[in-house]
Amino acid sequence: MPTATDLVTDLPADFEVFGQAVATSMADLLGGTSGQILAKNSNTDMDFVWVTNDVGDITAVTAGTGISGGGTSGAVTITNSMATEITAKADLIVGTGSATFDNLAVGANGTVLTADSTVSPTGLKWATPASGSFNTGFASVSTSESTTSTSYANLATTLSTTVTTGTKALVIITAAFQNGATANVESYASFGVTGATTVAASDTYSTYFFSASSSNLAGNASGSWVLTGLTAGSNVFTAKYKSQSGVASAFKNRTISVVDLGS
């Protein structure tokens, strides 16, 4: 092939030599088949080779549960079938079996989602919630009445309330205490249970008033307890009173409240 300093003496022949050199250096660009691409064969200049296009190792996209679409060639599309099942605001997607699901439309305002195996295919329904309720009892006596008993007893007017309970109940008793003109007097108020359950009045469930002075002292006291271990059913809660020293202790504005706490 002529160089830049060669004297051109035979132009046609020189062009032929030049063309042959170009054809030799570009020989690797020749050939190849449809779909092949040109790749470097080494670090040598103009050293190429035709190769089959490397398409990676993903040969197919297969749709699994909840997905549709896919394919084995070209551009493929997959769709979230659960998403397309939603057609309106607040729709729920609910399983109906192994790898199956369905749309559950929103219920009416104020309804709650409720399990119901008779409803096909979801086993769920929207229902009006049951109204919550619990049993309570209350009784009061305002008259001042006294006792000298050193063990728990009723006063002249029995203070009690009957409540249908589960195995637990909240019991609250209140009273205005008056110990008279005697020093170091303790007055106690408690409660007992009869009916389905028997619980004796005791200091465990009591409130009391203590006067260290011989002045005619009075005061209000209350106590509340969660009573457990009841026998479910109709239980009678009765307030009971005593004087620790046997000196007359007076009680007025007495109340007893009971709230069923279920089981």
Side-chain angles (χ1 to χ4, degrees), residues 10-200:
D10 187 348
L11 185 59
D14 288 341
F15 269 115
E16 183 179 357
V17 172
F18 174 76
Q20 290 173 351
V22 171
T24 299
S25 63
M26 303 292 286
D28 286 346
L29 302 183
L30 302 175
T33 60
S34 178
Q36 287 188 315
I37 61 174
L38 198 60
K40 285 289 290 180
N41 192 41
S42 70
N43 291 333
T44 303
D45 291 343
M46 302 302 290
D47 185 15
F48 296 95
V49 64
W50 290 98
V51 298
T52 301
N53 185 18
D54 184 2
V55 294
D57 54 7
I58 297 177
T59 58
V61 176
T62 303
T65 302
I67 301 294
S68 60
T72 58
S73 63
V76 299
T77 300
I78 59 173
T79 301
N80 183 344
S81 300
M82 288 187 176
T84 58
E85 192 73 24
I86 296 173
T87 60
K89 177 181 178 181
D91 280 357
L92 299 177
I93 302 302
V94 181
T96 57
S98 177
T100 60
F101 54 88
D102 200 1
N103 177 317
L104 179 64
V106 67
N109 290 344
T111 55
V112 296
L113 195 58
T114 305
D116 186 342
S117 60
T118 66
V119 177
S120 179
T122 64
L124 295 173
K125 67 180 181 180
W126 295 101
T128 301
S131 58
S133 62
F134 49 86
N135 297 321
T136 63
F138 175 79
S140 65
V141 174
S142 59
T143 306
S144 178
E145 297 176 347
S146 62
T147 184
T148 58
S149 174
T150 57
S151 59
Y152 285 107
N154 293 329
L155 299 184
T157 305
T158 299
L159 178 64
S160 66
T161 183
T162 301
V163 180
T164 299
T165 71
T167 58
K168 296 183 294 185
L170 172 66
V171 182
I172 305 170
I173 56 174
T174 65
F177 295 72
Q178 188 169 11
N179 287 348
T182 304
N184 300 319
V185 176
E186 294 182 9
S187 301
Y188 286 78
S190 180
F191 65 90
V193 185
T194 56
T197 310
T198 299
V199 177

Side-chain angles (χ1 to χ4, degrees), residues 232-258:
S234 179
N235 285 296
V236 181
F237 298 81
T238 304
K240 303 284 185 176
Y241 306 89
K242 74 176 183 178
S243 172
Q244 187 72 11
S245 59
V247 176
S249 296
F251 306 85
K252 67 178 182 178
N253 297 330
R254 298 179 288 136
T255 69
I256 184 169
S257 304
V258 177

